[in-house]
């Protein structure tokens, strides 16, 4: 794991990058992991440690900047990510673009296997990237977030949504609306089947004839990222590559 810096506009941005030794010569999956509001890249690398479950992938844990969030931090005293396109002069979308360009130059990226995930505010930025940079990704996995209006800007794509049924911050009912909107967008069947059923809880897979399935993974907790969340995300990502 190494710390990498990028100059984006007038700001110095940073991320932790974990790459396998042969990533400069052998095409490898690329996964972006965005922390929640008030989080850090180091905490994300531990709590959403995708690299520990997928050591063959290049895993990137970016660091957010102080960002206002209506629900919890209207003055913007804590780190986070832009919520909508145009906000903060698109500083985080520009940061993503700079990272992707640099990583493509430094490593041999498997362009059919680029993914993004994040929890809470990081989950919302995952959804914003889906809306604004969707052609980059093979699949997405937001957690603890809602984006019903933003779904109008999505192109159909395999999606795993993680939600806590007792989430009082980003209410489960709001997340349910988003999940239903994505299922409709993805052309999914109305009846679901168990997904990753050897685990508890099992997810619900809504298949799609277009190859853009949706998995709903609901935990009995609140606004927290589940302990096995990273492992479940890796399972889902491994199932989906760009055709």
């Amino acid at each position: 794991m190494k710390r990498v810096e990028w100059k984006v506009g007038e700001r110095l941005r940073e991320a932790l990058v974990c790459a396998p030794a042969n990533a400069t010569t052998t095409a490898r999956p690329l996964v972006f992991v965005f922390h929640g509001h008030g989080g850090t890249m180091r905490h994300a690398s531990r709590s959403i440690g995708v690299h520990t479950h997928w050591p063959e992938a290049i895993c990137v844990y970016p660091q957010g900047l102080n960002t206002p969030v209506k629900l919890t931090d209207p003055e913007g005293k804590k780190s986070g990510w832009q919520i909508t396109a145009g906000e903060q002069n698109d500083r985080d979308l520009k940061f993503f673009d700079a990272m992707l360009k640099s990583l493509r130059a430094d490593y041999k990226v498997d362009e059919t296997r680029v993914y993004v995930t994040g929890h809470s505010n990081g989950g919302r930025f995952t959804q914003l990237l889906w809306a604004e940079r969707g052609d980059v990704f093979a699949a997405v996995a937001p957690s603890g977030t809602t984006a019903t209006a933003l779904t109008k800007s999505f192109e159909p794509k395999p999606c795993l949504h993680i939600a806590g049924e007792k989430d009082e911050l980003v209410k489960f009912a709001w997340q349910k609306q988003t999940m239903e909107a994505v299922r409709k967008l993805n052309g999914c069947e109305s009846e679901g089947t168990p997904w990753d059923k050897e685990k508890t809880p099992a997810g619900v897979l809504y298949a799609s004839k277009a190859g853009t399935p949706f998995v709903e993974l609901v935990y009995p907790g609140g606004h927290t990222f589940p302990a096995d969340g990273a492992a479940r995300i890796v399972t889902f990502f491994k199932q989906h590559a760009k055709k």
Side-chain angles (χ1 to χ4, degrees):
M1 185 92 64
K2 66 177 182 179
R3 177 178 168 274
V4 182
E5 291 183 343
W6 294 265
K7 185 74 178 294
V8 184
E10 297 302 313
R11 302 296 297 264
L12 197 63
R13 305 299 302 264
E14 61 179 335
L16 295 177
V17 178
C18 185
N22 63 352
T24 57
T25 56
T26 303
R28 291 300 181 186
L30 173 61
V31 186
F32 290 90
V33 183
F34 291 92
H35 64 71
H37 190 73
T40 67
M41 60 187 183
R42 296 191 185 283
H43 182 262
S45 71
R46 295 190 298 267
S47 62
I48 319 177
V50 169
H51 64 284
T52 63
H53 301 281
W54 204 0
E56 299 83 7
I58 304 162
C59 298
V60 186
Y61 302 89
Q63 177 62 51
L65 300 175
N66 288 3
T67 307
V69 174
K70 289 181 181 178
L71 280 177
T72 58
D73 184 19
E75 295 181 1
K77 294 181 178 180
K78 297 179 180 179
S79 58
W81 310 99
Q82 67 181 97
I83 301 292
T84 58
E87 183 182 2
Q88 306 284 350
N89 195 30
D90 278 334
R91 68 182 188 190
D92 297 320
L93 288 174
K94 292 173 183 176
F95 178 31
F96 172 79
D97 293 341
M99 287 190 290
L100 182 61
K101 181 179 179 180
S102 172
L103 291 162
R104 282 169 166 166
D106 293 342
Y107 302 103
K108 193 169 183 179
V109 174
D110 183 344
E111 296 293 343
T112 69
R113 289 188 171 274
V114 181
Y115 308 92
V116 61
T117 185
H119 177 65
S120 191
N121 181 216
R124 170 66 185 207
F125 190 58
T126 294
Q127 293 167 322
L128 182 61
L129 284 170
W130 184 0
E132 298 297 322
R133 303 290 189 270
D135 59 334
V136 171
F137 305 108
V140 300
S143 169
T145 182
T146 182
T148 305
L150 195 60
T151 59
K152 296 175 184 177
S153 300
F154 293 170
E155 291 294 330
K157 192 171 296 294
C159 176
L160 164 70
H161 187 119
I162 297 176
E165 63 183 354
K166 298 177 183 176
D167 195 329
E168 288 297 324
L169 182 62
V170 183
K171 296 187 182 300
F172 182 68
W174 302 344
Q175 296 192 57
K176 198 71 173 167
Q177 288 179 341
T178 296
M179 290 189 277
E180 290 170 359
V182 171
R183 285 210 319 264
K184 183 177 180 181
L185 168 82
N186 279 2
C188 294
E189 298 173 2
S190 57
E191 296 297 321
T193 58
W195 176 82
D196 205 13
K197 56 188 176 182
E198 295 181 358
K199 304 286 181 61
T200 302
V204 180
L205 168 65
Y206 294 90
S208 165
K209 291 180 180 178
T212 53
F214 177 79
V215 171
E216 176 181 301
L217 186 56
V218 178
Y219 283 82
H223 191 68
T224 55
F225 186 76
D228 67 344
R232 309 294 287 274
I233 287 168
V234 168
T235 296
F236 181 75
F237 283 168
K238 284 183 174 181
Q239 293 172 346
H240 300 287
K242 280 186 178 181
K243 298 291 191 270

